[in-house]
């Protein structure tokens, strides 16, 4: 992912308060009291996770992102933010939750990473994931931000089972986003959507959130999954 693309997504999605709240509402019921967040970025979700937690360890490989997350959580003594490569560093143990939002697809060996994260969890602990869905949507947008893959529900479950997790939830999320990703990536071959599109999507998010709560569409731009450590 180039620095320009990183800056775009972190700036505009970080400012998409309605969308952030929606993702947070989907994730929050599955969080425990001790949390490891892999790929915290600028701390968009770290504050949400920490609000009901006793301990949060947030990791990112980028020093600027780490500095931003530390600033965003400076009033939260339960949060520890480290600059580290999760693939290479020793991770904390005996946690009840690991969270990775839009990170797993950036890793060449997703199963290997999941196996390592499993060792951070206490027996019965769970991992919470958000990943891009629908492999048929893979486009220049994905390549530009460093995606190795998009997942189907089947391939995500297979990766979790291969890493000795027992999936308990795998649901589609953000059906409207499919249209924007297809138009920008597959049709127009863009590497980032227009900023105004992101703002418009955020304005529409409350309506989309209500719709998906009622209808539960079978497809979406993303998948949200929860899996327990299999012992």
């Amino acid at each position: 992912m180039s620095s320009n693309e990183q800056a775009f997504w972190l700036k505009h999605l970080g400012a998409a308060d309605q969308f952030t709240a929606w993702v947070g509402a989907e994730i929050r019921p599955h969080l425990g009291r001790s949390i490891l967040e892999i790929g915290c970025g600028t701390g968009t979700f770290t504050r949400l996770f920490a609000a009901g937690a006793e301990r949060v360890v947030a990791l990112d490989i980028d020093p600027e992102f780490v500095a931003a997350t530390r600033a965003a959580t400076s009033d939260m003594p339960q949060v520890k933010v480290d600059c580290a490569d999760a693939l290479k560093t020793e991770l904390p143990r005996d946690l009840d939750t690991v969270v990775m939002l839009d990170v797993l697809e950036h890793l060449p060996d997703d199963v290997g990473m999941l196996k390592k994260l499993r060792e951070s969890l206490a027996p019965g602990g769970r991992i919470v994931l958000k990943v891009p869905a629908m492999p048929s949507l893979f486009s220049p947008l994905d390549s530009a931000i460093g995606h190795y893959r998009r997942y189907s529900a089947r391939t995500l479950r297979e990766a979790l089972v291969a890493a000795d997790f027992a999936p308990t939830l795998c649901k589609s999320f953000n059906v409207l986003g499919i249209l924007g990703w297809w138009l920008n990536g597959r049709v127009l071959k863009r590497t980032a959507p227009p900023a105004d599109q992101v703002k418009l999507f955020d304005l529409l998010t409350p309506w989309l959130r209500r719709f998906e709560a009622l209808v539960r569409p079978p497809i979406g731009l993303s998948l949200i999954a929860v899996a327990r450590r299999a012992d």
Side-chain angles (χ1 to χ4, degrees):
M1 185 190 298
S2 75
S3 58
N4 287 338
E5 284 140 1
Q6 285 177 323
F8 175 88
W9 287 107
L10 289 171
K11 176 182 177 182
H12 294 286
L13 290 182
D17 295 337
Q18 300 280 4
F19 184 73
T20 297
W22 185 21
V23 175
E26 294 288 333
I27 297 298
R28 192 174 293 110
H30 308 290
L31 301 180
R33 305 293 291 176
S34 57
I35 300 167
L36 172 63
E37 181 188 9
I38 302 295
C40 61
T42 55
T44 301
F45 292 102
T46 312
R47 286 191 64 88
L48 293 177
F49 301 156
E54 296 173 357
R55 178 190 181 199
V56 175
V57 179
L59 300 185
D60 204 284
I61 199 171
D62 189 304
E64 292 186 11
F65 297 167
V66 168
T69 301
R70 284 175 177 162
T73 58
S74 60
D75 61 336
M76 293 181 148
Q78 73 273 38
V79 178
K80 182 175 184 287
V81 187
D82 287 334
C83 186
D85 183 344
L87 291 166
K88 299 176 181 178
T89 194
E90 184 175 350
L91 300 175
R93 299 295 183 104
D94 296 320
L95 303 171
D96 54 36
T97 315
V98 173
V99 183
M100 285 206 307
L101 304 184
D102 297 306
V103 174
L104 192 64
E105 64 276 9
H106 292 272
L107 305 176
D109 182 7
D110 54 351
V111 173
M113 184 75 257
L114 290 170
K115 286 181 177 179
K116 183 172 183 178
L117 294 176
R118 181 186 179 278
E119 298 307 308
S120 289
L121 290 168
R126 55 190 173 269
I127 189 167
V128 182
L129 302 171
K130 177 174 172 284
V131 299
M134 301 182 64
S136 61
L137 284 179
F138 198 95
S139 74
L141 277 174
D142 293 279
S143 299
I145 55 179
H147 289 178
Y148 281 91
R149 66 194 75 82
R150 301 184 71 88
Y151 289 89
S152 66
R154 178 183 61 81
T155 59
L156 183 55
R157 287 192 186 99
E158 287 175 349
L160 286 163
V161 170
D164 291 323
F165 282 97
T168 60
L169 172 73
C170 188
K171 64 177 288 186
S172 296
F173 175 80
N174 185 13
V175 66
L176 182 61
I178 294 172
L179 177 60
W181 202 270
W182 172 81
L183 178 63
N184 287 298
R186 298 285 291 180
V187 177
L188 300 176
K189 308 298 183 185
R190 289 171 171 159
T191 58
D196 288 345
Q197 249 184 50
V198 180
K199 291 178 182 177
L200 176 60
F201 176 78
D202 196 50
L203 289 173
L204 294 173
T205 291
W207 301 97
L208 178 61
R209 184 174 172 179
R210 293 188 190 101
F211 172 77
E212 293 203 9
L214 292 170
V215 178
R216 298 191 179 184
I219 58 173
L221 186 64
S222 300
L223 290 166
I224 291 175
V226 181
R228 291 193 175 276
R229 171 176 166 163
D231 294 292

